[in-house]
Amino acid sequence: MLSTALFVPASVKPAPRGQFSADPRARPTPQPRQRSLLARLLGGDLDAGTYSSGEASIPLREVGRLSFPVLGLDAAVAPKDRIPRVVLTDGNHVHFYRVVGEHLEVEWSHAAWQTGRVISVQLMDLDGDGALEVVVNRYHPRQGVALTSFVLTTRDGKPVQVGGATNDILLAMDGRGAGVKDTLWQQRFTPDGFFTEGHAERLVLKNGRLVSDGRLRVPPDFRATGAVTSNIAGKDGPRALVYIDPFSRLRVAIDTEERWRSGTAVGGGRHVKLEVIKQIDQSGRSIFYHMETTPLSVDLDGDGIEELIAPITQVPGQLAVVFRGPAGYRLQAVNTGFEGTITGLSSFRLEDQSTPTLVLAVVRFTGLLGVSGESQIIMTLPQD
């Protein structure tokens, strides 16, 4: 009687788990949705107990190893030939590379150490011809020299200077959010503070010379180093100005109005020191400023709103990722696992890619003065 009571006829047995209708036909298993690059950076996909086997969840490749410290880096896709390129500097030379697969092929190198030290390099399309120019800032602490910034272009496979040199700091900006910097800014150098407060102007190339095209409205503590434009404040309004202030705080501003300021210190580019010698009475006094690593504004999750990435150089291998959601601006620190200092980061996106490719320079400084070392150029791989 007991066995009879527990017997359930097959006609009234429940459907297999996962089938909620009476249709006995097999149903396709839904494919898991691929996580965005932002979600993978913030949350990661590494399972507990996995190391080398789990590295493929955020695919990284070393595309170059250099025997010198990289002090500045930028990457972009040339609009003319659609080939991604990378420019970097060790302070004495400017190296221009083509990205071929997962390798860097040098196109040219330029020695720029004669009258100072290169403190930053950027890629931009200055004249709208689809070829990339290199904006170089070079500094020497000797009075009467200071800044000698200039722009390089490529002719017959060799670097050629265009527009002449200037004694102010230059900054390439992406004014339209097209992915390639197309606007050149300038901020006057002053021995009292290095950066002229509240000053910036637009430069254009006219008759072979760089000439002013009007003043720009910027916050009083704006510095033409460590600055980008972004639509993180909203896609419909004007692009925000994002920069690192004198107190190593990341700030988002529209015109001269501040929208957000990080409580966490970012930047802190201790690898590039700018010495200004001020004459006090009969002697001189050295005052030091620091060149910041330019933050990155890039859409990591494909929603049309860009996120911000900035290195936290006080902690080796850490990045600050800033994103904006229903709760407002949020900053999350991401540990990349690299033991060196991130001295440069940039990105580019090819037409057949749904996610951007990030490029980072990781430097392990050696020696007591910390001016020598070796560098890794790390690149993320597209997920499609």
Side-chain angles (χ1 to χ4, degrees), residues 68-306:
F68 54 82
V70 172
L71 304 182
L73 174 144
D74 197 11
V77 175
K80 187 175 182 179
D81 55 15
R82 308 305 303 172
I83 297 177
R85 287 175 170 83
V86 174
V87 63
L88 56 86
T89 181
D90 61 349
N92 296 323
H93 297 81
V94 178
H95 303 285
F96 191 66
Y97 296 90
R98 179 194 299 113
V99 179
V100 180
E102 299 178 9
H103 304 279
L104 299 180
E105 293 185 359
V106 63
E107 291 195 16
W108 51 258
S109 295
H110 176 73
W113 52 267
Q114 293 90 344
T115 56
R117 189 185 189 199
V118 177
I119 57 177
S120 72
V121 288
Q122 288 183 292
L123 292 174
M124 71 171 300
D125 184 8
L126 177 62
D127 50 9
D129 62 350
L132 294 176
E133 283 79 32
V134 181
V135 179
V136 182
N137 285 305
R138 183 174 55 187
Y139 178 74
H140 195 287
R142 188 176 62 191
Q143 291 186 355
V145 180
L147 282 163
T148 52
S149 303
F150 54 93
V151 179
L152 295 174
T153 190
T154 304
R155 292 178 185 171
D156 299 328
K158 298 180 180 180
V160 178
Q161 184 174 327
V162 295
T166 178
N167 299 118
D168 299 312
I169 189 167
L170 299 177
L171 179 66
M173 303 289 274
D174 185 2
R176 299 179 294 112
V180 178
K181 303 177 184 69
D182 57 0
T183 305
L184 187 61
W185 289 18
Q186 174 182 265
Q187 187 174 34
R188 278 199 304 264
F189 166 79
T190 173
D192 186 14
F194 201 92
F195 307 97
T196 301
E197 290 188 0
H199 172 267
E201 56 186 301
R202 184 184 298 107
L203 297 182
V204 295
L205 187 64
K206 184 180 295 185
N207 297 326
R209 304 292 298 177
L210 293 174
V211 296
S212 175
D213 191 39
R215 291 283 298 271
L216 299 166
R217 290 174 56 86
V218 294
D221 58 354
F222 166 73
R223 293 183 170 192
T225 166
V228 294
T229 61
S230 176
N231 70 351
I232 191 172
K235 291 190 294 185
D236 300 330
R239 292 182 66 81
L241 177 63
V242 181
Y243 63 99
I244 299 176
D245 67 11
F247 305 100
S248 297
R249 297 300 190 269
L250 192 65
R251 301 183 63 175
V252 179
I254 299 291
D255 200 17
T256 59
E257 178 186 354
E258 179 183 313
R259 295 295 181 91
W260 179 80
R261 179 191 303 183
S262 69
T264 302
V266 302
R270 309 297 178 184
H271 52 283
V272 178
K273 292 183 179 181
L274 309 175
E275 180 186 9
V276 178
I277 302 176
K278 299 183 66 174
Q279 293 296 327
I280 300 177
D281 295 331
Q282 300 297 324
S283 62
R285 177 185 177 187
S286 294
I287 300 177
F288 292 93
Y289 302 89
H290 299 279
M291 195 73 180
E292 298 287 358
T293 300
T294 303
L296 179 61
S297 177
V298 59
D299 183 9
L300 297 173
D301 51 8
D303 63 348
I305 299 295
E306 296 169 351

